[in-house]
Amino acid sequence: MSLFPTVAAFDAALASLPAADPSCRAAAAARQAQLTKPAGSLGRLEEIAIFMAGWQRRARPRIDRGRAVIFAGNHGVTRHGISAFPPEVTAQMVANFARGGAAINALAGAAGLDLRVVPIALDQPTADFTVEPAMSEADCLTALNIGAEAVDPGLDLLLLGEMGIGNTTAAAALCQRSFGGTAVDWVGVGTGVDGHGLEVKRQVVELAMACHAEAPLTPFETLRRVGGREIVAIAGAMLAARHHHVPVVLDGFICAAALAPMAAAVPAITDHIVAGHRSAEAAHGRLLDRLQLRPLLDLDMRLGEGSGGAVAAAVIRSALAAHDQMATFSDAGVSEG
């Protein structure tokens, strides 16, 4: 059965977000205070352990079942020449994922994550959103549910990533429609367009804003009008994960843009999210500030595929290892001072 059979069901799920378990957070914080180290000396690793405890609903969280899901989709707006690569590259990269030859294959393996790649109707690009909605209501609901179905209730951690030529343009449009500003604020070089290509991308986003100016500013309408199937699937996965109490690690700008329409309407949607890194895409830092998410890493990465998030997942594993395996002052016979 679909988690989001109707738009009303999606809206209801977004309006009824479960919270982290405060007793498990408190128990994890109490354990951190007893570990053989000066208080706060592990910095954000301590915060991560407490965060994970609240969402996993256990004082000593772990990652026995970690999963990386990479959604792929194609965009009709690429007809405007907004990318340095042709749309065919989306399917070619999905094939590379299947062969184990991409960065995410190596990095997910290093982080101990099960990798799943979900291509969504690659032979049916979304519509050109400068002149019409990218998706019909039915198509958007289908993508939301594809995302939701990738989330098992028993997961300990979910990393989300994407592949889709043209999707930084869609991400910029989602951000502008969600948080305002101008195309200059949100459009970046993506896969490496030149100055002319950057200007074309900005013009495309401006056309999209004009085309949909009178449409309702709801999360669903924003996602279906200027998103992409892979981006909408990420949104569906994030919302499903929240209802399953599964903490989520986001990759870069495009994944965060999938969150933007929901967060603009319901800021609490970000509470179970970890921003894995700040990418080199110029608008990503601005978007993370608007989402009030502090990235774990800043490595000048801009590949996508979930790659930055996978590196962050390894850091999360380190945080949980310290939280679980360190001795307490009492265990070690060390004076607390």
Side-chain angles (χ1 to χ4, degrees):
M1 181 178 177
S2 297
L3 187 60
F4 312 119
T6 63
V7 177
F10 170 77
D11 292 341
L14 188 54
S16 58
L17 300 175
D21 187 314
S23 63
C24 290
R25 284 184 56 89
R31 176 170 173 77
Q32 280 290 327
Q34 297 164 5
L35 298 179
T36 49
K37 59 179 174 57
S41 59
L42 284 179
R44 291 195 67 190
L45 296 188
E46 299 181 18
E47 298 173 15
I48 291 167
I50 295 168
F51 166 89
M52 293 289 287
W55 289 109
Q56 290 191 4
R57 295 179 289 183
R58 51 193 174 202
R60 294 170 80 157
R62 57 186 184 268
I63 305 176
D64 296 330
R65 291 190 63 204
R67 178 177 296 170
V69 183
I70 312 304
F71 297 101
N74 273 323
H75 296 256
V77 76
T78 56
R79 74 180 187 85
H80 294 279
I82 56 171
S83 176
F85 292 90
E88 293 78 11
V89 169
T90 302
Q92 292 165 2
M93 282 304 300
V94 166
N96 192 31
F97 298 154
R99 290 191 298 268
I104 188 55
N105 297 96
L107 295 172
L113 301 176
D114 168 47
L115 175 62
R116 301 196 179 182
V117 180
V118 183
I120 308 173
L122 297 186
D123 59 342
Q124 301 172 38
T126 53
D128 177 0
F129 59 54
T130 66
V131 293
E132 61 182 310
M135 288 160 280
S136 68
E137 182 176 297
D139 281 347
C140 192
L141 286 170
T142 295
L144 284 169
N145 283 299
I146 288 172
E149 288 161 8
V151 185
D152 292 343
L155 289 175
D156 299 318
L157 185 70
L158 176 67
L159 162 64
L160 295 171
E162 47 60 43
M163 178 63 214
I165 296 302
N167 62 11
T168 57
T169 301
L174 288 166
C175 291
Q176 186 170 342
R177 197 159 197 272
S178 300
F179 292 124
T182 68
V184 172
D185 296 323
W186 299 113
V187 174
V189 297
T191 51
V193 296
D194 59 16
H196 172 72
L198 183 62
E199 183 56 34
V200 170
K201 288 179 70 172
R202 289 171 177 167
Q203 290 172 2
V204 163
V205 171
E206 289 169 354
L207 287 171
M209 294 303 102
C211 177
H212 305 288
E214 303 303 317
L217 273 172
T218 63
F220 183 85
E221 281 300 301
T222 295
L223 285 166
R224 89 168 184 95
R225 286 175 177 274
V226 297
R229 290 188 180 91
E230 81 282 27
I231 296 174
V232 172
I234 290 168
M238 281 189 280
L239 186 52
R242 178 60 163 267
H243 283 272
H244 293 315
H245 292 268
V246 176
V248 170
V249 180
L250 288 188
D251 188 35
F253 176 55
I254 295 143
C255 291
L259 181 59
M262 296 189 293
V266 184
I269 185 63
T270 64
D271 289 352
H272 72 302
I273 304 290
V274 175
H277 73 127
R278 185 199 315 273
S279 79
E281 184 71 10
H284 191 205
R286 181 178 297 110
L287 176 55
L288 291 176
D289 289 344
R290 293 300 299 265
L291 296 171
Q292 297 186 31
L293 290 174
R294 183 181 169 200
L296 284 186
L297 303 171
D298 191 344
L299 301 174
D300 292 331
M301 297 175 70
R302 58 180 181 86
L303 175 60
E305 303 177 6
S307 55
V311 179
V315 174
I316 294 171
R317 280 195 180 277
S318 296
L320 301 192
H323 180 75
D324 185 56
Q325 298 171 24
M326 285 181 69
T328 64
F329 286 105
S330 176
D331 293 335
V334 175
S335 174
E336 296 186 43

